[in-house]
Amino acid sequence: MIDSCFSPLGPGIRLSNGDVEIVAATGFGPRIVRFGFPERENALGEWPLLSTDTALGRWSPRGGHRLWIAPEQMPKSYAPDDAPLAHRSEGSLALTISAPPDAAGFAKEISITLPERGAQATLAHRITNRGDQPVEMAPWALTIVKGGGVALLPSEPWRSHDDDLDAARPFVLWSFTELADPRFSFGPRSVLLRTDAARPAPQKAGAGNTRGWCACLWDDTAFLTRFGHEPNRRYPDFGCNNEMYVAADYMELESLGPLAVVAPGASIEHVEHWSLHPLTLPAKTGDCSPRDLEAALERAVPGLFD
């Protein structure tokens, strides 16, 4: 089913298969502003009052899911996206939303597809270079999730020192990253990053994640996003295809495609697969150990850590 709706962030179009619903904004973007079980809380965060002034104009995160270019650049990555969108439906469970070229010269669109049943969605992202010069860049999909959660970035499969002497992957830090910050924790199978309303300083970490997924957990729900990793391609940020960022209750799960030189008129694409899963924890999320959170996620999505 596709119908018009109004979200806390403005007018939009809703897709629903009865098990899950997703809302795309129509007045700005492309942005996904809601993903959730019907008549349940939005898994995506809503931040209507935040904004950043740039040389290209004022950019507002607003909330939800957006499409950027990487590596992060000011002002090119922050080009305002306030123009109304075009949209076209492709059946009752598929929708494409398209924005005109922004002030940095990039046209962006997201195609959304729901299955007939199940709490999943597939998002195909496309960026087209509408400038007059080739640009080296990567597609960058960023999802602001609701506060109160903990993000899990999975570790590579464990192998003993006797069996494997090679490095497994890059784990990347930013100049403002402080691993002693209590919002970071480390489980036997993941790196975890929590929100904390009392800690506004940003923290960020990323990885070359061959597992191809990351997740955010709350007391009764897990949000899982899956994405690709191409081992023979170059990725931004010292090889990251997965990053997570937090500042107070603001949290982003981010995936990136490989770098490419994009000629004028050419496009790059990046696909994510989303899902929601009921979760059973032994305590509130904030009181659970990393091992407890990993075990609960594995119960909700069997085989995820295999």
Side-chain angles (χ1 to χ4, degrees), residues 119-170:
Q120 296 96 35
T122 296
L123 280 66
H125 309 79
R126 182 177 298 106
I127 302 175
T128 301
N129 179 5
R130 295 300 183 193
D132 58 6
Q133 298 292 324
V135 179
E136 184 178 47
M137 61 182 179
W140 185 12
L142 304 95
T143 304
I144 304 171
V145 294
K146 68 178 181 179
V150 54
L152 279 78
L153 191 161
S155 300
E156 296 301 295
W158 186 89
R159 299 189 69 186
S160 75
H161 181 268
D162 293 337
D163 294 332
D164 193 350
L165 298 179
D166 293 333
R169 72 165 184 200

Side-chain angles (χ1 to χ4, degrees), residues 18 42 59 112 115 143 198 213 238 243 259:
N42 188 6
W59 177 82
I112 310 157
T143 304
W213 64 267
F238 296 102
E243 299 169 359
L259 286 161

Side-chain angles (χ1 to χ4, degrees), residues 279-293:
L279 194 68
T280 301
L281 295 173
K284 294 289 186 180
T285 306
D287 297 325
C288 286
S289 69
R291 191 180 295 271
D292 287 339
L293 293 168

Side-chain angles (χ1 to χ4, degrees), residues 5 18 20 38 53-54 72 80 84-85 124 134 148 153 157 175 183 196-197 209 220 232 242-243 245-246 265 301 306:
C5 67
V20 74
D53 289 322
T54 83
E72 186 167 3
L85 274 67
L153 191 161
S175 58
R183 287 172 289 182
D196 185 341
N209 179 357
D220 59 0
N232 297 321
N242 185 199
E243 299 169 359
Y245 172 92
V246 70
V301 190
D306 291 348

Side-chain angles (χ1 to χ4, degrees), residues 150-152 182 184-194 217 279-297 299 305:
V150 54
L152 279 78
F184 278 110
S185 56
F186 300 87
R189 295 182 289 178
S190 66
V191 179
L192 298 89
L193 182 59
R194 301 170 184 267
L217 278 60
L279 194 68
T280 301
L281 295 173
K284 294 289 186 180
T285 306
D287 297 325
C288 286
S289 69
R291 191 180 295 271
D292 287 339
L293 293 168
E294 291 174 351
L297 182 58
R299 288 192 300 270
F305 288 93

Side-chain angles (χ1 to χ4, degrees), residues 47-138:
W47 293 84
L49 301 181
L50 294 183
S51 64
T52 299
D53 289 322
T54 83
L56 298 177
R58 177 168 292 185
W59 177 82
S60 300
R62 290 192 173 91
H65 177 81
R66 67 186 187 274
L67 176 59
W68 266 11
I69 63 167
E72 186 167 3
Q73 302 171 52
M74 177 63 80
K76 189 179 293 185
S77 296
Y78 289 77
D81 57 359
D82 299 328
L85 274 67
H87 60 273
R88 64 181 185 274
S89 60
E90 298 155 359
S92 60
L93 296 174
L95 176 72
T96 295
I97 51 174
S98 305
D102 60 28
F106 302 108
K108 302 170 184 175
E109 68 177 26
I110 302 175
S111 295
I112 310 157
T113 305
L114 300 186
E116 291 289 337
R117 296 300 304 271
Q120 296 96 35
T122 296
L123 280 66
H125 309 79
R126 182 177 298 106
I127 302 175
T128 301
N129 179 5
R130 295 300 183 193
D132 58 6
Q133 298 292 324
V135 179
E136 184 178 47
M137 61 182 179

